[in-house]
Amino acid sequence: MASLEDGKLDEKIVPVTETSPEITSEKADFNIDDEAGIHAARALQSGTVDPILSKKVLRKIDLYILPFLCVTYGLQFLDKTSLGYSSVFGIIPDNNLVGQDYSWASSIFYFGYLIAEYPGVALLQRFPIAKFLGINIIIWASILMLTALCSSFAGLATVRFLLGVFEATISPGFVAITGIWWTRQEQASRSAIWISFLGFFGTIGGLVTFGIGHIENSLSTWKLIYLILGAFTIVWGILFILVVPDNPATTKWLTEEERIVALQRVIENKTGTKTRTFVLAQALEALLDPKIILLALISFVNAVASGGLSFGSIIIKGFGYTSLQTALMNMPLSFLQAMFTLAGGYLQHRLPNARLIVGSVAMIPPIIGTCLINQLSDKWGRLIGVWLLAGYPTGFMVLLSLLATNVAGSTKKSTASAMVFVMYCVGQIVGPQCFKSSEAPGYHSGIVAMLVGFILNIVFNLALRVLYQLENRKRDRALEGKSEEEIEALREESRVQGFENVTDKENVFFRYVL
């Protein structure tokens, strides 16, 4: 068992066994402010994790949790981008959309997202995370089905707004879940896997809409798209609630011993699982932290490009393809997005201190792609340019992995998530507005806005990497001159602080992943 030689820590610890009468007071003795409670205290005292049991627990976590993150993330992407698929199947004339109406119908989703973001993240901190997310999934799917009833811009804008409200907590919720269940080293690859399903489901979306386009029915094709996607998502939301646990301490598919191991595995993250206590000082710390401000700026410029791609189907159709051909031509873009994201996750796993470098390099293909779209006249050359835009989600994957790994303190993490996703919303609102109907089908201004976003993404990535490096070196220098006993005592205190709701700024042994 790890030695706790520091006197202050020694007086906190009371040995805990399976039937210990002190088990109910252990949480208080440790000053643990974490949902894992007594299980966290026992994990801290359990010493080095058994590697064989750790692998067994990891396999269970990957089996029971990762598929639900993957499919849910793919569905929320497919559901929110269904407007793009339906745009070539008649939703525009059937809802009497003219001028910038389509742009606003795309953007208004993110007004709902923006308004609901901070309240949603605050509720995530207050309520059981998996159940809260599951309920949101069911509600957003129901709203998606209501889209089939729309016949005007006002009705379409209303359901798009509400869809944004109930999808707002999915990404920050998944960032929190990733931080709860996986180690720092594992988080990059797991984030890459579930984010890659944006691309996989984009590919599936092309196939689904292509198939639905061949259904002979009294209902319009675009209405069938919303009804079929919404019904499937409702069923999935119910399964999410039934299978995904709120935290390791309450997991039914882990034994008592495995619950402790699940917490032992993430002790070195120094971020705990989740606490329901709101700390104003942590919220202010997040708002003033230049590293989090840079994360928010990266989120904004990445989202401008993402928002622009809501016009992807219209841009491709403008090259001279039919509606059904456009659905098929979208598929390589989505598939490449998945491949870029998985490749980025693999590189982050192999090169753990090169996340921001990976995210920067991933912007090079989109930069080339925007230049091809703007400069070439050949439709196949321009189509290849659209496909090269697939690299940009890798930057978003890096952003989310850093948000999960490099922010500690429950309130600080929730505030940071709100900042990042508020800026994400702003970018998603701005992106479609850069595509002016008067410039159809080339949309020169929109393509240029995407290009600028990709370039700024690289600039902000490298600036953030420098800040992380400077902070890590500063903390290393602060330990110079201390004895081995003092350093070991600080290290053990740091491990405990992960479950005591201490922020990354206050934890002297917290080091930022680059």
Side-chain angles (χ1 to χ4, degrees), residues 78-148:
L78 195 57
D79 291 351
K80 76 180 179 182
T81 57
S82 54
L83 182 64
Y85 292 113
S86 61
S87 66
V88 295
F89 285 105
I91 194 173
I92 292 177
D94 285 359
N95 282 268
N96 303 306
L97 304 184
V98 295
Q100 290 293 104
D101 284 353
Y102 178 80
S103 294
W104 281 112
S106 178
S107 293
I108 204 165
F109 170 93
Y110 291 98
F111 281 98
Y113 202 119
L114 179 64
I115 289 172
E117 187 58 44
Y118 188 76
V121 170
L123 290 172
L124 272 175
Q125 186 179 351
R126 293 289 299 172
F127 293 101
I129 188 168
K131 293 181 181 63
F132 182 79
L133 291 175
I135 291 170
N136 275 267
I137 293 168
I138 294 170
I139 295 175
W140 106 49
S142 302
I143 293 169
L144 187 72
M145 295 184 73
L146 291 175
T147 309

Side-chain angles (χ1 to χ4, degrees), residues 9 28 45 119 132 202 240 286 321 332 353 358 384 428 433 450 492 496:
L9 289 177
Q45 293 190 83
F132 182 79
F240 191 98
Y321 297 103
N353 276 320
V358 170
I384 290 172
Q428 292 280 4
Q433 298 309 314
M450 294 173 74
E492 293 296 344
V496 176

Side-chain angles (χ1 to χ4, degrees), residues 16-63:
V16 179
T17 64
E18 191 74 35
T19 59
S20 171
E22 291 84 16
I23 196 165
T24 57
S25 64
E26 184 68 18
K27 178 181 171 182
D29 293 336
F30 257 117
N31 295 322
I32 287 175
D33 186 14
D34 193 283
E35 278 194 347
I38 188 62
H39 288 83
R42 293 179 61 195
L44 287 165
Q45 293 190 83
S46 296
T48 305
V49 64
D50 179 354
I52 296 176
L53 191 53
S54 177
K55 288 182 180 179
K56 179 183 177 183
V57 171
L58 176 59
R59 283 194 296 269
K60 283 191 174 184
I61 294 169
D62 285 341
L63 177 64

Side-chain angles (χ1 to χ4, degrees), residues 358-429:
V358 170
S360 298
V361 172
M363 294 301 113
I364 295 175
I367 289 173
I368 296 172
T370 51
C371 293
L372 291 177
I373 296 169
N374 255 345
Q375 299 300 320
L376 297 182
S377 57
D378 176 71
K379 72 175 185 178
W380 282 104
R382 299 181 74 193
L383 182 60
I384 290 172
V386 172
W387 291 344
L388 286 175
L389 300 179
Y392 86 90
T394 305
F396 190 60
M397 178 265 293
V398 170
L399 167 70
L400 295 189
S401 70
L402 292 174
L403 188 59
T405 303
N406 281 353
V407 185
S410 196
T411 303
K412 183 176 182 180
K413 185 182 286 287
S414 64
T415 305
S417 291
M419 292 168 64
V420 165
F421 287 104
V422 161
M423 292 302 289
Y424 170 79
C425 293
V426 174
Q428 292 280 4
I429 292 169

Side-chain angles (χ1 to χ4, degrees), residues 137-368:
I137 293 168
I138 294 170
I139 295 175
W140 106 49
S142 302
I143 293 169
L144 187 72
M145 295 184 73
L146 291 175
T147 309
L149 300 176
C150 294
S151 59
S152 66
F153 171 74
L156 186 62
T158 300
V159 294
R160 290 283 297 172
F161 178 86
L162 292 174
L163 192 65
V165 168
F166 289 99
E167 284 197 28
T169 55
I170 300 302
S171 289
F174 282 15
V175 169
I177 289 174
T178 302
I180 289 171
W181 289 97
W182 287 285
T183 67
R184 280 185 157 204
Q185 183 68 7
E186 296 161 355
Q187 285 171 16
S189 58
R190 271 55 179 192
S191 293
I193 291 170
W194 56 260
I195 293 171
S196 72
F197 272 67
L198 296 177
F200 286 128
F201 269 66
T203 306
I204 293 171
L207 287 172
V208 169
T209 53
F210 182 77
I212 294 174
H214 285 84
I215 296 176
E216 294 183 3
N217 195 285
S218 59
L219 285 176
S220 301
T221 298
W222 68 267
K223 293 183 178 182
L224 287 174
I225 290 173
Y226 287 106
L227 292 173
I228 292 171
L229 291 180
F232 182 84
T233 305
I234 287 175
V235 174
W236 187 256
I238 295 170
L239 288 174
F240 191 98
I241 293 173
L242 294 175
V243 177
V244 180
D246 297 305
N247 63 66
T250 60
T251 306
K252 295 179 180 179
W253 39 262
L254 292 177
T255 66
E256 182 67 16
E257 182 183 21
E258 288 171 342
R259 293 171 190 168
I260 302 302
V261 171
L263 290 164
Q264 279 183 283
R265 294 180 67 257
V266 297
I267 285 174
E268 294 304 324
N269 291 356
K270 301 180 178 66
T271 55
T273 62
K274 184 168 78 77
T275 176
R276 301 186 184 186
T277 305
F278 177 83
V279 182
L280 178 60
Q282 288 192 15
L284 295 174
E285 184 179 317
L287 290 169
L288 299 175
D289 190 334
K291 299 183 293 298
I292 293 176
I293 292 171
L294 270 174
L295 284 173
L297 289 174
I298 294 169
S299 181
F300 170 74
V301 296
N302 193 276
V304 168
S306 179
L309 276 184
S310 63
F311 277 76
S313 295
I314 294 176
I315 292 172
I316 292 174
K317 189 175 183 181
F319 296 161
Y321 297 103
T322 67
S323 295
L324 288 175
Q325 287 173 337
T326 298
L328 291 177
M329 293 303 174
N330 253 323
M331 290 168 57
L333 171 63
S334 300
F335 181 75
L336 286 171
Q337 286 178 352
M339 292 299 100
F340 269 110
T341 305
L342 289 175
Y346 175 77
L347 289 173
Q348 285 185 87
H349 181 74
R350 299 291 295 178
L351 307 169
N353 276 320
R355 296 190 189 187
L356 287 161
I357 297 297
V358 170
S360 298
V361 172
M363 294 301 113
I364 295 175
I367 289 173
I368 296 172

